Amino acid sequence: MPTTPNIQDISRYHTHRRALSALAAMVHRGDQTLSARRYVSIAAAVAAVGGLLFGYDTGIIASALIFVTQTFSLSTAGQEWVAAALNIGAIFGALLSGPVSDRWGRRPAIMVAAGIFIVASLGCGLAPDVSILIFARLWLGAAIGATTQIVPVYVAELAPASRRGGLVSLFQLVFSLGLLLAFFVGYELSGGVESWRAMFMLGAVPAILLAFGMIFLPESPRWLLHHEHEHRAVSILYKLRGHKDIVRQELDDVLTVDAGEADGDNGASLKQRWIRPALLAALGVAAFSQLSGPNVIVYYAPIILSQAGLGHSAALLTSVSVGVTSTITTAMGIAFIDRIGRRRMMLYMLPLAALSLFVLGAVFLSSAPLTGVRLVLMVVSLLGYIFFNFGSLSVAVWLIAAEVFPLFVRSKAMGMASATVWVSDTLVSLVTLSLVEALGTTGTFWLFGFINVAAFVFVWKYVPETAGTTLEEIESALRSGTFYTNIGKQTGTRRNF
């Protein structure tokens, strides 16, 4: 007995018809693939300025905290709360921004986050006491958490499969540039006890650039299709791809996958069994990206090194070298992540990150001042850790989370992944100085070394290779239960290392 089409089937049929009709009206435009490639690159670069916000305010606390401590006579716990306030706010920003970007669009949500960032940056710089400073940093964190949730999803939905890894990872590169900028600003402005105020207020500058730049960028075509704005979606997709055949194929892929989501667009959808492998991979990489210790160096390297015998100036200068190294290695990661693959880069580099931390811990076995060979070994192992950790987990973390989830839960799931990053980062921020007091510098670095080993084991077991695979192919692999095997076949790679 034939079945009667339901309302959702009819709606999807008409959505497909309208999308193809809009595409047919644009055939006269011809082949515009070169200009489309440039357009995608520009859009990804502007959106990635959100990473500059993230990087600058993550890095500036390393320099500012020394002087904030002097201004407000902070205890160890006070220092940890000033640093961690941003992370706590980011947890809520990451979780709450998902529904906002789902309802109103990726682009407006990014602009709202930039506006909050501007106000909060000024609030930090003008804070009359530590309570106001912590409150302002909570809002600053909410804005940063929102950008870490929205921007990678936005760029992943704009980018073609062959370039998605590099374009999404621009967010991490600009984050590293933000760190580097923060370290230079901190070094140049250090001196006066109140110098931290200017350090914080300068964070409003990249937020202004992001808000202004987003005015000229398009909305995500996948979001538009999902909300039945077919003509806008097709027009934007043509600008992003430049050829009718490519657009037609992508429309077919998106609309075919969307046809299988009618019963999944609800609050419990993330609990569905077939999505669990993506959740495990994304949330695990998100957690290990922070628990493995990169922000131990970013937040507390100046204080730890000062306590170990280096002067304030030398400790801050070491932070500048950390920023330079993270920028170089992230740029290298972006260049190779689509060629080598996300999984392989992590498996190649994480063991070396762990080894660097074990050597770094050994340097501090002696309580003698850091001089000569020990000083050189300390710097080399410190920068080696930054190189291998930032070049693997830190490059892949936002990319993995942005690409492994199906469209109808992508924003919510990315919010969870981003929140996991910030919860893990908050934990590290709150306990690092206490760990140094309890375990010593050596014990602390060795502990994080073992966590890097655990991260390697996790990636080996639970993270598949997704390089060169479309978002729709990844979703199809999830639905068919071949997330760990079928993706590798599609991309010419293997799950087993």
Side-chain angles (χ1 to χ4, degrees):
M1 181 177 179
T3 58
T4 303
N6 59 33
I7 295 175
Q8 290 174 328
D9 290 333
I10 295 172
S11 175
R12 287 193 297 271
Y13 170 77
H14 286 296
T15 295
H16 206 155
R17 286 283 304 272
R18 288 193 296 267
L20 294 180
S21 175
L23 177 61
M26 297 177 186
V27 172
H28 67 280
R29 295 187 181 183
D31 189 342
Q32 300 176 10
T33 51
L34 289 178
S35 61
R37 186 179 179 87
R38 287 193 297 269
Y39 186 59
V40 171
S41 299
I42 292 170
V46 172
V49 174
L52 193 65
L53 312 181
F54 179 18
Y56 182 84
D57 265 277
T58 298
I60 201 63
I61 193 63
S63 302
L65 192 56
I66 295 174
F67 304 104
V68 172
T69 300
Q70 295 175 10
T71 299
F72 298 125
S73 302
L74 297 180
S75 62
T76 295
Q79 293 174 42
E80 289 174 336
W81 277 107
V82 169
L86 181 140
N87 304 20
I88 295 170
I91 296 168
F92 292 99
L95 291 173
L96 297 177
S97 59
V100 172
S101 68
D102 274 344
R103 178 162 186 174
W104 302 108
R106 318 306 195 207
R107 180 171 165 268
I110 294 173
M111 297 176 73
V112 169
I116 295 173
F117 195 98
I118 294 168
V119 175
S121 294
L122 297 177
C124 285
L126 298 173
D129 55 51
V130 71
S131 298
I132 299 299
L133 176 60
I134 290 174
F135 179 76
R137 280 182 61 79
L138 283 169
W139 279 100
L140 198 63
I144 293 176
T147 60
T148 60
Q149 182 273 323
I150 305 165
V151 171
V153 167
Y154 174 70
V155 177
E157 292 179 351
L158 259 59
S162 61
R163 301 178 63 201
R164 189 176 63 243
L167 291 175
V168 174
S169 296
L170 276 176
F171 182 80
Q172 184 65 28
L173 174 61
V174 180
F175 164 78
S176 296
L177 290 172
L179 278 181
L180 182 58
L181 177 63
F183 292 148
F184 273 118
V185 168
Y187 182 71
E188 290 296 325
L189 294 183
S190 62
V193 174
E194 298 289 312
S195 59
W196 60 270
R197 297 186 182 277
M199 296 180 192
F200 284 135
M201 285 192 285
L202 283 173
V205 176
I208 294 170
L209 294 176
L210 178 62
F212 180 74
M214 289 303 298
I215 295 173
F216 303 99
L217 294 191
E219 181 54 84
S220 160
R222 282 175 167 83
W223 183 90
L224 290 169
L225 281 172
H226 198 63
H227 289 77
E228 300 183 353
H229 300 293
E230 296 87 3
H231 285 276
R232 282 184 63 200
V234 171
S235 178
I236 291 169
L237 197 56
Y238 204 100
K239 281 186 176 181
L240 294 168
R241 302 294 181 264
H243 195 282
K244 63 182 178 62
D245 293 338
I246 302 173
V247 175
R248 173 64 183 265
Q249 181 60 55
E250 196 157 331
L251 283 174
D252 287 343
D253 289 343
V254 174
L255 293 170
T256 299
V257 168
D258 194 52
E261 296 176 353
D263 61 347
D265 197 6
N266 55 68
S269 57
L270 277 171
K271 297 179 182 179
Q272 294 181 68
R273 187 180 184 87
W274 64 274
I275 298 179
R276 289 177 190 171
L279 274 174
L280 180 62
L283 299 188
V285 171
F288 276 116
S289 73
Q290 302 306 309
L291 296 178
S292 60
N295 285 341
V296 172
I297 306 301
V298 171
Y299 291 152
Y300 296 123
I303 290 178
I304 293 172
L305 296 178
S306 295
Q307 293 172 349
L310 290 181
H312 286 345
S313 180
L316 290 175
L317 194 57
T318 302
S319 288
V320 172
S321 65
V322 167
V324 172
T325 303
S326 67
T327 302
I328 292 172
T329 190
T330 304
M332 290 178 61
I334 289 173
F336 292 110
I337 198 165
D338 282 316
R339 301 178 190 177
I340 298 175
R342 296 82 158 113
R343 169 183 162 84
R344 283 183 175 150
M345 283 186 63
M346 289 187 281
L347 292 179
Y348 286 146
M349 301 180 80
L350 278 171
L352 296 173
L355 179 62
S356 298
L357 284 177
F358 292 140
V359 173
L360 185 60
V363 168
F364 289 96
L365 282 171
S366 171
S367 59
L370 286 169
T371 57
V373 175
R374 286 180 64 238
L375 179 60
V376 173
L377 195 57
M378 183 276 292
V379 173
V380 170
S381 57
L382 179 73
L383 299 183
Y385 165 72
I386 290 295
F387 184 91
F388 294 116
N389 186 278
F390 270 68
S392 55
L393 279 174
S394 294
V395 169
V397 58
W398 306 112
L399 174 58
I400 294 291
E403 65 184 3
V404 297
F405 295 108
L407 176 62
F408 75 100
V409 294
R410 186 171 296 140
S411 189
K412 297 184 186 74
M414 185 65 193
M416 288 181 62
S418 181
T420 300
V421 169
W422 289 107
V423 168
S424 304
D425 193 9
T426 301
L427 177 63
V428 170
S429 301
L430 288 175
V431 304
T432 294
L433 294 183
S434 299
L435 281 174
V436 172
E437 291 180 354
L439 303 178
T441 305
T442 294
T444 301
F445 285 131
W446 283 357
L447 172 62
F448 286 109
F450 284 115
I451 295 174
N452 277 264
V453 173
F456 170 86
V457 174
F458 177 86
V459 172
W460 177 282
K461 189 170 184 179
Y462 295 112
V463 181
E465 185 57 72
T466 54
T469 311
T470 69
L471 299 177
E472 288 68 39
E473 286 171 339
I474 295 172
E475 178 171 347
S476 295
L478 273 171
R479 288 181 178 275
S480 64
T482 58
F483 183 63
Y484 295 124
T485 55
N486 199 38
I487 295 177
K489 292 178 182 177
Q490 290 168 348
T491 60
T493 59
R494 294 175 58 194
R495 169 167 157 68
N496 293 327
F497 180 62

